[in-house]
Each structure stands twice: as C-alpha cells, then as structure tokens.
Amino acid sequence: MIESRRQLRERIEALAEPEFQKFSASLIPGVNRLLGVRLPVLRNLAREVAGGNWRELLENPAVDPYAEEVMLDGMLIALARMEPEERLEQVARFVPRMDNWAVCDTFCTSLKFCKKHPALVWEFIQPYLTSARVYDVRFAVVMMLAHFITEDYVEQVLALLDGVRHEDYYVGMAVAWAVSVCYVKFPALTLEYLRNSSLSDFTYNRALQKIIESLRVSREDKSLMRSMKRK
C-alpha cells in the first residue's frame, strides 16, 4: 500500500523508460520534468492507489512534480469512488495544475462520470471557456468534445466553440479537433455551421484538415472540405 508522496514518486520513477521519455518529450514541448512512463502503466498504478488513501495524497500534491505525478493525480480524481459534487471540487483544484496538452486531454477523457451527470458537468465547465488561461479554455473545449457531442448538446457545443476567442495555438487546435468530431457525428449540422462560422482562419482551416484526415469521412466529403478552405 502506498502511504506517502515519497513512496508514490519512487514507484513512478521505477516505471520510467528512458527511450520512451525521449519520444514523449518530443510530443510535449516545454515540459522538462518528464520521466517517460506509459499511460496504461500509469493508469494501473492509479487504480492501485485509488483503493487506498487517495484523498490524503490529493490534499498534499508533489512539490516540483514530474508530469507523470500530475497525470496520476488526474487519474485518481477520475477513478476514485466519490460523489459527483466532490469529484467536481477535485476537478476545480486540479485544472490550475495543468500546463500541457497531454495532462489536459488525458484528464478530460478519463472523466467518465460525465455520462451520468451531464447537466451538472455542463454547467461546471462554462466559466472555463472565457478564462484568460490557456489550459482552462482547452479543458472546457476537450470536455465538450469528449462528453457533449451528442444529439442533446451538439448545437450548444458548436455555438460555444464559435465564441472561443483565445488565440493560443493549443486552444485553436482543440477547437478545430472538436469541430471535426462534430462533423463526423453530425455532418449536415456541422457543414451548415462551417459555412457561417466566425472561427479564425487558422482554426477553421485546421478543422477542415482534421475532417479530411478522418477515416470516418467519405471521399466526397473530403473533397468538399478541400474546396471550402480559406485562402
């Protein structure tokens, strides 16, 4: 049983792979404290820790953490047993710790409780869309694309994506990714949106490119997307 942050760090360090660290570092620019632990391995460790004193660990986050320590804390919030209100309190404390796309996206996609509590989560993420902080906005966008591109929410998702005005690259790419997922799931609705959207040229063209690259889009639709690109 892992009882302390020191023990948890030692376990994570023991799982590191130097060659994988080099590969991971090439995908996550600007992250210096990266050990190189594969996500399935880290998730297995998180499941183990989630059966123990996870609350105490989350209340005492690592000092000068490795990226994997932050990632694991996010996994704990997603995996540990708790009421949805407490989980959202944990999420609110965790979001400011995000400083790269990998931690953000892994965390968002792991929050499976959203399926049972969509209205609660939908209301929770709204303020993040207008934050000045890059990963606050990306958090909200990735939460929408991971959990809310559904018949009940897709029109609201597209309207909110159109209102995102943060100019950071990682926000623009998240919006483009979300629009492409909307197109895959709701092509007619998203096509109409694209023809009237106020997305920046960068985000709009990136969205079209992601649609073109999708394996779930027909050849005819890909040709249409190419013809719609902005100069």
Side-chain angles (χ1 to χ4, degrees):
M1 180 74 70
I2 294 171
E3 298 291 342
S4 68
R5 277 285 168 187
R6 180 185 58 79
Q7 290 177 319
L8 184 55
R9 175 169 287 189
E10 288 173 354
R11 285 286 301 277
I12 293 173
E13 288 174 335
L15 296 169
E17 300 177 41
E19 287 303 313
F20 186 68
Q21 190 277 339
K22 294 177 185 177
F23 171 73
S24 297
S26 70
L27 298 178
I28 316 172
V31 177
N32 297 318
R33 288 183 61 75
L34 186 68
L35 287 166
V37 181
R38 297 176 188 271
L39 282 181
V41 175
L42 199 61
R43 196 170 282 112
N44 285 339
L45 178 57
R47 290 192 183 98
E48 176 186 337
V49 177
N53 63 337
W54 58 267
R55 279 192 180 87
E56 183 177 338
L57 290 169
L58 288 177
E59 287 170 6
N60 297 279
V63 177
D64 195 17
Y66 291 109
E68 285 87 352
E69 289 177 296
V70 179
M71 187 88 74
L72 186 136
D73 285 356
M75 292 174 176
L76 282 180
I77 293 167
L79 289 168
R81 290 186 178 181
M82 64 186 95
E83 293 300 312
E85 291 79 9
E86 180 184 0
R87 203 178 305 275
L88 287 179
E89 290 174 5
Q90 294 285 358
V91 171
R93 286 196 286 270
F94 183 76
V95 171
R97 299 176 62 196
M98 296 177 182
D99 64 359
N100 66 79
W101 68 263
V103 167
C104 176
D105 297 3
T106 301
F107 179 60
C108 292
T109 55
S110 68
L111 291 171
K112 306 299 185 185
F113 86 116
C114 297
K115 186 174 183 179
K116 290 185 178 180
H117 308 279
L120 185 67
V121 177
W122 179 259
E123 182 179 358
F124 174 83
I125 65 176
Q126 297 308 305
Y128 291 96
L129 285 164
T130 54
S131 172
R133 186 174 177 273
V134 171
Y135 289 102
D136 284 4
V137 185
R138 186 173 174 109
F139 161 73
V141 172
V142 178
M143 286 292 287
M144 288 196 298
L145 80 86
H147 306 291
F148 291 99
I149 301 180
T150 64
E151 189 170 344
D152 290 339
Y153 284 95
V154 63
E155 291 187 35
Q156 295 176 75
V157 168
L158 286 169
L160 289 171
L161 292 175
D162 209 54
V164 173
R165 291 294 176 262
H166 203 296
E167 296 181 358
D168 185 85
Y169 171 84
Y170 288 102
V171 172
M173 290 300 291
V175 172
W177 178 21
V179 170
S180 73
V181 175
C182 288
Y183 188 88
V184 167
K185 294 186 175 182
F186 300 94
L189 180 68
T190 309
L191 178 60
E192 182 63 24
Y193 160 73
L194 285 168
R195 286 175 168 156
N196 298 281
S197 83
S198 60
L199 296 173
S200 70
D201 289 350
F202 170 82
T203 303
Y204 174 87
N205 285 334
R206 287 286 184 161
L208 297 190
Q209 188 58 39
K210 284 185 171 292
I211 294 168
I212 292 166
E213 292 169 356
S214 173
L215 298 178
R216 294 185 288 171
V217 173
S218 71
R219 186 175 301 175
E220 292 76 16
D221 282 6
K222 292 182 181 186
S223 178
L224 175 61
M225 291 300 107
R226 291 188 183 96
S227 72
M228 289 175 60
K229 284 195 173 182
R230 296 177 188 166
K231 302 298 183 182

